[in-house]
Amino acid sequence: MSTTPTGGARRIAGDWLAARRSADTAAREAALPLVRDLARQVGTSGELSLVDLGAGTGANPAWLVPRLARAGADAQRWVLVDHDSDLLTAADLPAHEALRATERVVGGVDDLPRVLADRARPRVVTCSALLDLLTPGQVVRCVADVVAGAEAALFSLTVTGSFLVTPEHRDDATLVRAFNAHQRRRLEAMAEPLAGPDGWQVAAQAFAAAGWRVTEAATPWELGPGHEALLRRWLAERVDAALEVVGGDPESTRRIEGWWRDRSGQLDDHALSAVVDHVDGLAVPGSPS
């Protein structure tokens, strides 16, 4: 994930996208049945047009190209869409015989209708770790654009708001509540708060209301020994967000800062692990059987 649309765009650091890439790759292996279902839905006899929203440095298509090819989609054209031109310039898709062309478009989800209209069918819309950074209204409009102009959508690695850090800590719940509140905050110039961990459910309900069939796969990060650098950054950013939410409340601040001191010590001792829940979702025309 790397973008929200015009009016709420936030710059995402390229080094964060790089840091999470291996965890994303491991998590998404659980979503391979969705990839095979996608290939069956759109067919594999011709060239497939795929649009990746919030493409960042290209991690999502880099993961999908070879796996779609193994599922039979051996002719793919990708359009990478992101508001950050620097990230798009840095996007690096590995050479693969199924990848016929790559195009980069500076824009956001509001540009989806135009991007789809310029591509040949069949069209597929993808994104990774994006929905939580949109408002519910933006998610619903994105779904409507997919239904109007594409044959399928694969929305990947959306956070659910649930994570488990081991060993347990008495203030885990305090941290989780404060962080999820931060995820649902209202950004300047936005008419409504962010969808945050509700992003995929908003999308799934909108697809179902449009008569599309939705299937899901749990794709959790499983972080332990060897992931200390990612764990430390991930936890530190959650602490910063939680402290922002609680403001100057002394008791909440004391609890969160104490939680971080304890967790930092456990990281130093290589005694910390975490499961961070995500979900991948495939949407295609047709109601469930």
Side-chain angles (χ1 to χ4, degrees):
M1 189 294 309
S2 64
T3 182
T4 57
T6 303
R10 286 179 286 160
R11 191 176 184 87
I12 304 299
D15 65 337
W16 167 245
L17 299 179
R20 63 174 291 166
R21 196 158 183 166
S22 63
D24 289 344
T25 297
R28 292 189 66 183
E29 292 303 308
L32 286 175
L34 302 187
V35 176
R36 292 190 287 269
D37 288 348
L38 169 60
R40 284 194 293 269
Q41 171 68 26
V42 299
T44 57
S45 59
E47 196 169 74
L48 184 62
S49 298
L50 300 109
V51 176
D52 190 49
L53 295 173
T57 54
N60 186 38
W63 188 89
L64 277 169
V65 167
R67 289 161 179 84
L68 278 170
R70 288 199 291 271
D74 56 4
Q76 305 171 36
R77 288 182 174 268
W78 280 85
V79 183
L80 312 186
V81 181
D82 200 291
H83 77 276
D84 191 325
S85 59
D86 292 338
L87 290 179
L88 282 176
T89 299
D92 181 23
L93 272 62
H96 194 284
E97 61 184 8
L99 183 59
R100 301 298 172 85
T102 304
E103 180 183 350
R104 293 162 172 80
V105 173
V106 177
V109 295
D110 292 341
D111 299 297
L112 182 57
R114 173 180 59 83
V115 173
L116 286 173
D118 291 341
R119 316 300 153 196
R121 290 182 180 270
R123 305 163 182 158
V124 175
V125 177
T126 70
C127 69
S128 177
L130 173 66
L131 299 183
D132 60 302
L133 297 182
L134 306 178
T135 68
Q138 290 168 335
V139 174
V140 169
R141 288 193 294 275
C142 179
V143 168
D145 293 336
V146 171
V147 169
E151 280 66 50
L154 181 61
F155 293 166
S156 301
L157 292 170
T158 303
V159 294
T160 69
S162 174
F163 57 88
L164 175 66
V165 181
T166 304
E168 293 183 5
H169 190 285
R170 62 187 177 277
D171 289 319
D172 283 343
T174 300
L175 193 286
V176 170
R177 282 194 302 271
F179 178 73
N180 285 339
H182 185 269
Q183 290 291 89
R184 296 184 176 100
R185 71 196 182 281
R186 185 190 302 271
L187 295 180
E188 185 178 354
M190 281 190 165
E192 57 181 338
L194 298 173
D198 304 319
W200 167 244
Q201 289 306 313
V202 172
Q205 290 167 11
F207 276 122
W212 279 37
R213 174 170 53 87
V214 174
T215 53
E216 302 177 0
T219 49
W221 280 359
E222 297 182 356
L223 308 179
H227 296 102
E228 281 83 5
L230 177 58
L231 260 172
R232 189 178 298 277
R233 180 166 180 172
W234 178 78
L235 290 171
E237 290 184 355
R238 270 137 193 81
V239 167
D240 288 344
L243 289 172
E244 182 180 326
V245 166
V246 301
D249 177 68
E251 178 61 18
S252 297
T253 299
R254 182 188 66 79
R255 285 178 174 273
I256 292 169
E257 290 178 344
W259 185 93
W260 178 229
R261 283 193 300 273
D262 293 343
R263 293 310 196 185
S264 294
Q266 290 164 346
L267 279 168
D268 292 340
D269 294 337
H270 305 284
L272 192 76
S273 62
V275 175
V276 185
D277 288 339
H278 298 81
V279 62
D280 281 29
L282 173 67
V284 297
S287 300
S289 57

